[in-house]
Amino acid sequence: MIDFDPGTAAPTRGTSQRNGGDLVVETLEALGAKTVFGIPGQHALGLFDAMGRGNLHFVSSRVENNSAFAADGYSRATGEVGVLFLSTGPGALTSLAGLQEAYATGVPMVVVASQIPLEGLGARRKGMLHQLDDQKASAANVTKSQRLIQHASGIPSAIQDAWTEAISSPQGPVWLEIPQNVLLDPIMVPPVEDALAEAADNPPRVELVREAVKWLSTAERPAIIAGGGTRRGRAEKSLLSIAEKLRAPVICTPGGNGAFPWTHELSLQSWIEDRHMTDLLEDADVLIVIGSSLGEVTSNYFTFAPRGRIIQIDAEPRVLESNSPGLGIRADAGQALAALDDALVAPVATTRSWHGTAPEDLVKDSLAKVKARLESQDLGKELKFMSDIREAVPADMQTFWDMTISAYWGWSCWDARQGQFHSAQGAGGLGYGFPAAIGGAVGLETVGKPGRVLAVSGDGSSMYSISELATAKQHNIPVTWLIVDDGGYGILREYMVGAFGKATATELARPDFVKLAEAFGVPATRVAPEDVGDALKAGFAADGPNVVVVETLLKMFGPTHLDD
């Protein structure tokens, strides 16, 4: 169990003078926030003083980027808004790579950053500590919007508006910053009693749904690509209904992994980078694309050349038709698929044929071709390693994957079952897995669904977040961290050898991860690849954080976008 109780009463407000920080804490609590991630800082002390009079639980990471990843993991695990407190200047800037992942993946977060005192704003070079010419401009590429609050009376409404924007599709992080003196100065504003934030409605246009139904009603070979927006829009039930009405094969992108039942007779699973799947999708006469831009990975590295018509559904209008022309429907995936499901008469057609083959048989044959291709590539160790991990992980456990070879396998082969699969595929930055898992475990405890989670990293990516072992130990967080140690940046080594015949700057000196974890007071073990399943099971049965290290070199399956 994590060493905090979200329901524990905190000191009563009014034990000292209320300030702007109290308004931040009171508004967040009124909106339903229970946990905040971040690191204290000089200009943010008003926030932390106020938390001592409130009920928010604070989880202090060791690096701001990891705080952002933790808030992201909290949100993904619970479906609630992640909250992040940042200090000014270096602290704020250090968080940006973590926020890029949340922004790219559509994770709702409210970010409260401190600022220098009011008199230093406006790019005047007063020489104040942490001063930037325009701090919020630094966050413009990685957040939905940025606001500067200059008066304490504006804090409650600004936070309420930010929360509303964060949860409105397309979801994402929203940036607020408050100067030091606005947080610290005594206020006359009364305590916040209530706050309300409801997601803005984002339904599909009626005529577009009608046109989509017309296309689908006459389609011979419909197919579906389910991207991350399907999960964010909680559209899984509608997706299943539509697929069964259409008898349409469904493939999930890495972000959409888990949106469709893995073992369903229409499930192409997540082998989106396989040429057999690319060929099948190209042959569809109507392709429904949900919550995906048909970007680099989903298009099998831009080799996908659809011959049929595309219906593309996304809450982000900039995504629509960004890679292929089609019928673009700007809408929340949940609302759009519900409307489409209601409009489709069941069954749309009882006789579906892909050139004489039933869709269910086509799916079975396509998966068999993928399996045969993998088995022809001397990948027995990799297939067994991933299978052993999958069998060791409880069916309902949530998993968090860094940018590492194991994760790239997971994008394609991981059956999420009743759990959830989370990875950093949105922006692709290193260091996501462990801090996101910390946030996920804290989130599950906070919402009354305590449970262990799994993080998976390579030796290179693990060094980005190794300091968070202190966070996990301090809060006794039930995270099992699997570190697959191949002595370097494995995937870059493989890419460079394949492209140039040799690898440069990919080999790494690294610590003894077992001894390092133990130095933090975290139990750790080193095992051979064939023993990874048993080691994980032992870690799952333990209390608090633990680490499993496997020293092995894994290969990726051959890239099919390079095939002749």
Side-chain angles (χ1 to χ4, degrees):
M1 294 291 287
I2 301 172
D3 68 349
F4 78 93
D5 179 359
T8 300
T12 304
R13 283 200 175 94
T15 56
S16 66
Q17 175 65 53
R18 292 177 66 251
N19 55 31
D22 286 277
L23 292 174
V24 174
V25 172
E26 291 164 7
T27 306
L28 289 171
E29 289 183 4
L31 288 164
K34 298 179 181 66
T35 300
V36 175
F37 298 87
I39 296 177
Q42 177 176 319
H43 294 128
L45 293 182
L47 285 173
F48 291 87
D49 173 55
M51 276 204 294
R53 294 185 289 277
N55 294 299
L56 291 177
H57 171 66
F58 184 69
V59 177
S60 180
S61 301
R62 299 307 188 265
V63 183
E64 286 86 355
N65 192 43
N66 295 330
S67 297
F69 283 145
D72 174 310
Y74 178 97
S75 179
R76 294 197 204 193
T78 64
E80 299 194 352
V81 174
V83 182
L84 176 63
F85 283 177
L86 297 172
S87 59
T88 314
L93 294 178
T94 302
S95 74
L96 297 184
L99 291 175
Q100 185 187 3
E101 175 59 36
Y103 183 55
T105 309
V107 178
M109 291 170 53
V110 170
V111 183
V112 181
S114 61
Q115 245 298 10
I116 59 174
L118 280 167
E119 61 267 24
L121 299 178
R124 292 186 291 275
R125 303 303 294 171
K126 284 181 166 289
M128 290 181 170
L129 183 70
H130 303 331
Q131 184 172 13
L132 292 168
D133 287 348
D134 187 351
Q135 178 174 280
K136 61 184 175 60
S138 303
N141 275 327
V142 295
T143 55
K144 288 183 69 174
S145 68
Q146 310 80 40
R147 297 170 174 84
L148 170 65
I149 305 171
Q150 300 192 51
H151 305 284
S153 60
I155 289 174
S157 293
I159 293 177
Q160 181 173 281
D161 290 347
W163 193 286
T164 299
E165 185 175 1
I167 63 175
S168 297
S169 60
Q171 296 179 341
V174 178
W175 180 280
L176 297 168
E177 54 187 48
I178 310 173
Q180 179 186 32
N181 49 334
V182 176
L183 289 170
L184 285 173
D185 289 349
I187 58 173
M188 296 183 293
V189 183
V192 177
E193 296 184 9
D194 59 67
L196 177 64
E198 294 183 350
D201 203 28
N202 194 0
R205 297 184 64 85
V206 174
E207 69 274 13
L208 295 178
V209 173
R210 188 180 302 121
E211 185 67 13
V213 169
K214 188 185 302 182
W215 289 13
L216 292 168
S217 297
T218 58
E220 288 292 327
R221 299 182 306 280
I224 299 172
I225 296 177
T230 314
R231 292 173 61 190
R232 291 189 296 276
R234 296 175 175 82
E236 293 89 346
K237 183 178 179 181
S238 295
L239 172 62
L240 177 61
S241 177
I242 290 169
E244 291 180 340
K245 286 179 181 178
L246 296 173
R247 292 179 67 198
V250 179
I251 194 165
C252 294
T253 71
N257 187 308
F260 194 75
W262 189 263
T263 57
H264 194 282
E265 62 182 353
L266 291 169
S267 176
L268 295 167
Q269 300 173 0
S270 291
W271 296 99
I272 197 76
E273 297 181 59
D274 189 279
R275 189 69 224 177
H276 295 302
M277 298 302 179
T278 307
D279 291 342
L280 186 156
L281 296 171
E282 286 178 341
D283 191 39
D285 58 355
V286 177
L287 181 65
I288 308 174
V289 181
I290 310 149
S292 170
S293 65
L294 292 178
E296 186 171 9
V297 174
T298 303
S299 65
N300 204 355
Y301 301 91
F302 299 113
T303 62
F304 177 50
R307 296 187 293 273
R309 295 188 289 185
I310 295 175
I311 299 168
Q312 188 175 15
I313 299 168
D314 208 288
E316 170 55 77
R318 292 174 295 177
V319 164
L320 299 175
E321 300 188 77
S322 60
N323 282 306
S324 295
L327 180 67
I329 303 177
R330 192 223 68 184
D332 172 76
Q335 291 183 270
L337 290 193
L340 191 59
D341 187 28
D342 288 343
L344 284 168
V345 178
V348 175
T350 55
T351 57
R352 289 285 188 204
S353 173
W354 288 63
H355 311 293
T357 301
E360 297 81 5
D361 292 335
L362 179 73
V363 168
K364 188 182 301 182
D365 293 345
S366 298
L367 291 174
K369 290 177 181 177
V370 172
K371 182 179 179 182
R373 186 176 73 82
L374 295 173
E375 291 176 345
S376 72
Q377 293 182 18
D378 188 27
L379 295 169
K381 179 175 76 170
E382 288 76 9
L383 291 167
K384 184 177 187 304
F385 187 75
M386 295 304 297
S387 176
D388 288 348
I389 296 172
R390 176 58 279 182
E391 292 313 304
V393 173
D396 61 349
M397 181 177 285
Q398 299 202 28
T399 59
F400 295 80
W401 302 71
D402 225 315
M403 298 297 285
T404 186
I405 289 177
S406 300
Y408 304 147
W409 272 96
W411 286 1
S412 294
C413 76
W414 189 260
D415 175 5
R417 299 183 182 172
Q418 290 78 54
Q420 292 190 53
F421 175 90
H422 309 288
S423 77
Q425 87 288 337
L430 293 177
Y432 172 82
F434 186 52
I438 287 174
V442 170
L444 293 173
E445 178 84 12
T446 302
V447 299
K449 299 178 181 178
R452 179 168 292 274
V453 301
L454 172 68
V456 181
S457 301
D459 57 295
S461 59
S462 67
M463 291 301 292
Y464 279 69
S465 48
I466 199 76
S467 60
E468 302 311 323
L469 283 168
T471 303
K473 175 63 176 179
Q474 179 176 336
H475 297 280
N476 197 40
I477 295 173
V479 177
T480 294
W481 191 10
L482 172 62
I483 300 175
V484 184
D485 182 357
D486 65 6
Y489 296 122
I491 193 66
L492 298 178
R493 178 196 293 131
E494 188 167 313
Y495 288 163
M496 292 185 75
V497 170
F500 311 119
K502 64 176 183 177
T504 302
T506 60
E507 306 314 298
L508 299 172
R510 72 273 196 202
D512 183 324
F513 287 106
V514 171
K515 290 182 178 178
L516 183 56
E518 290 173 344
F520 283 95
V522 175
T525 183
R526 182 183 291 105
V527 298
E530 58 269 23
D531 297 321
V532 67
D534 289 340
L536 288 176
K537 289 176 183 176
F540 297 153
D543 181 54
N546 51 70
V547 175
V548 174
V549 180
V550 177
E551 294 182 359
T552 188
L553 177 63
L554 301 177
K555 297 184 296 184
M556 277 302 296
F557 48 82
T560 64
H561 65 284
L562 301 179
D563 290 352
D564 293 328

